[in-house]
DNA sequence: CGATGGTTATTTGTATACAATAATGTCCTG
DNA sequence: CAGGACATTATTGTATACAAATAACCATCG
């Protein structure tokens, strides 16, 4: 997108991700336009894009709201993500370049460092974790698959989960990444798929524990 | 969407599906606006929507073209569709209502009739086949899944394939649908998934035969 | 007191004018 | 004649005014 419409997109998306726009809140084009310093036209573009990426929803009379997620919908997201990202890992096992595998190692070393920092550097973990998964997806070299996953992965609620990861959970992620790297080195698509599926599945349970079992604890 | 923007969407989408807008053709907003009898604003909305559904693509300088599909991309579409629609069938096996199963039977009887007509009524087959798959997806009761599949299923090239189905292929489809119905009656998600995966996979080979092996024959 | 109808206010949809950017063509120069 | 700078044209992006649709409000009636 170009300048103004991109600015609106970043602004609104950022506000949703950092929680200043809460789920269920109504988004008025004129108000957003004022907040972003642009006119309604690029705001409308941004809202359509955010709707496609499931950050916002529109009701039957075309009014726009920050998306609210039920537990069922969130779990369904994790199931779909594990299926698609597992498939991505399988494809990547057969296609990823050695240099890309090296990059995976680099990011995973950074994740290890983030885990060992005191206190653990969760923000660094999030960044390198994101980069790690992006490289895997890139290695799958399927635009269509990347497109499907783009609409699933970035849920504010999921990001908030990972933000609460403790040292042990970060180390566990790192270990799973390491196993994936070995599967890649062996060019074993079935193994890669299984590791990735399990990795995502574990993330779901981390989310579930954090927000539905014993919220706030541990 | 509302009136004008919906009209533009239908018009452009229809022109792509019936081939009057060929893959690779550039779409100019002003020209489309004139053709649809609306202004550029709703045309822009329609193009964004069609971009999300992969009917059109935009190049790096924001110009829009009718999407072109490589063989690899088409096969990838079939793979993803078999995976997701297989999962939909598995979910549906555990959730679909008896009355929905009855509807599936009705549509499949209509497909049988279409196969036995002389000449086979391919158009009726396409309609009832579409309805059949829609009911399965409905039975899966996952909005998110429905959303992902929406962006994959309706490829002009795929529709063109099915339009060339002969009597035997229609009968084969009907038989696979019947087996799926039995799997639903037994509430067996694994069976349902396997049948659906196989069903889609066969469709891919029908496409491949029709357009890449011996075009026009059989 | 609740429901219903109509009036007002709010919000989104559309058209249009103008600005910005990319593509195209032309003319000069080596 | 090739290549490149510049002017011209084509195309998309943005702002704004107005129209249409929807929701909110209030009064009136049962």
């Amino acid at each position: 997108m170009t300048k103004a419409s991109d600015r609106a997109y970043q602004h609104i998306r950022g506000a949703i991700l950092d929680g200043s726009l809460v789920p269920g809140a109504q988004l008025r084009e004129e108000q957003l336009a004022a907040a972003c310093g642009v006119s309604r036209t690029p705001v409308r573009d941004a809202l359509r894009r955010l709707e496609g990426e499931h950050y916002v929803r529109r009701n039957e009379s075309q009014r726009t709201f920050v998306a609210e997620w039920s537990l069922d919908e969130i779990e369904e997201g994790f199931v779909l993500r594990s299926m698609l990202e597992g498939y991505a890992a399988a494809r990547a096992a057969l296609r990823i370049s050695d240099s890309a595998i090296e990059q995976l190692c680099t990011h995973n070393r950074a994740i290890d460092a983030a885990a060992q920092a005191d206190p653990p550097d969760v923000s660094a973990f999030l960044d390198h974790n994101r980069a790690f998964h992006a490289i895997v997806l890139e290695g799958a070299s399927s635009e269509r698959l990347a497109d499907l996953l783009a609409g699933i992965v970035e849920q504010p609620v999921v990001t908030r989960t990972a933000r609460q990861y403790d040292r042990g959970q970060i180390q566990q992620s790192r270990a799973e990444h390491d196993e994936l790297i070995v599967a890649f080195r062996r060019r074993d698509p079935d193994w890669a798929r299984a590791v990735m599926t399990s990795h995502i599945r574990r993330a779901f349970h981390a989310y579930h524990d954090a927000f539905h079992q014993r919220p706030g604890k541990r």
Side-chain angles (χ1 to χ4, degrees), chain A:
Chain A
M1 287 287 137
T2 58
K3 219 175 66 191
S5 123
D6 202 26
R7 189 140 56 101
Y9 172 83
Q10 297 288 351
H11 183 276
I12 300 168
R13 181 171 173 277
I16 292 173
L17 286 173
D18 75 14
S20 46
L21 284 173
V22 300
Q26 182 172 358
L27 301 177
R28 293 175 195 78
E29 295 176 357
E30 205 150 8
Q31 170 192 316
L32 293 172
C36 304
V38 300
S39 83
R40 273 178 58 210
T41 311
V43 168
R44 289 170 62 81
D45 271 10
L47 287 178
R48 296 288 152 77
R49 198 168 149 198
L50 291 163
E51 188 192 357
E53 295 166 1
H54 305 281
Y55 288 98
V56 307
R57 291 179 186 170
R58 302 172 82 183
N59 69 7
E60 62 286 349
S61 61
Q62 307 301 94
R63 275 150 175 80
T64 305
F65 303 83
V66 179
E68 298 179 282
W69 294 84
S70 70
L71 174 56
D72 275 358
E73 286 174 313
I74 290 166
E75 172 157 22
E76 178 70 347
F78 273 103
V79 170
L80 290 168
R81 190 185 159 195
S82 70
M83 190 160 57
L84 292 171
E85 209 156 341
Y87 173 61
R91 275 184 68 102
L94 300 174
R95 294 161 214 266
I96 194 167
S97 69
D98 290 341
S99 74
I101 293 180
E102 271 316 303
Q103 290 182 275
L104 291 178
C105 291
T106 303
H107 284 295
N108 221 25
R109 272 194 296 272
I111 288 174
D112 193 55
Q116 283 175 15
D118 194 34
D121 188 346
V122 180
S123 166
F125 162 68
L126 287 173
D127 288 344
H128 289 287
N129 183 61
R130 198 190 321 275
F132 186 98
H133 284 265
I135 291 169
V136 173
L137 189 52
E138 169 89 7
S141 64
S142 164
E143 263 194 62
R144 184 47 84 93
L145 180 55
D147 184 71
L148 290 180
L149 272 167
I152 292 185
V153 173
E154 278 287 356
Q155 292 163 20
V157 67
V158 172
T159 310
R160 271 200 295 280
T161 306
R163 210 169 285 149
Q164 300 193 357
Y165 269 26
D166 60 25
R167 190 189 312 276
Q169 287 173 303
I170 296 176
Q171 285 288 16
Q172 176 68 26
S173 274
R174 188 205 49 76
E176 287 163 353
H177 288 176
D178 275 338
E179 190 176 356
L180 187 65
I181 289 169
V182 177
F184 283 167
R185 288 226 168 89
R186 298 295 182 106
R187 303 285 166 195
D188 184 333
D190 293 339
W191 189 10
R193 182 197 291 258
V195 171
M196 182 61 93
T197 300
S198 160
H199 181 53
I200 308 283
R201 200 68 202 154
R202 195 185 55 73
F204 167 65
H205 288 287
Y207 159 76
H208 193 273
D209 287 354
F211 285 86
H212 295 275
Q213 296 284 62
R214 32 191 171 159
K217 280 188 72 176
R218 261 239 127 206

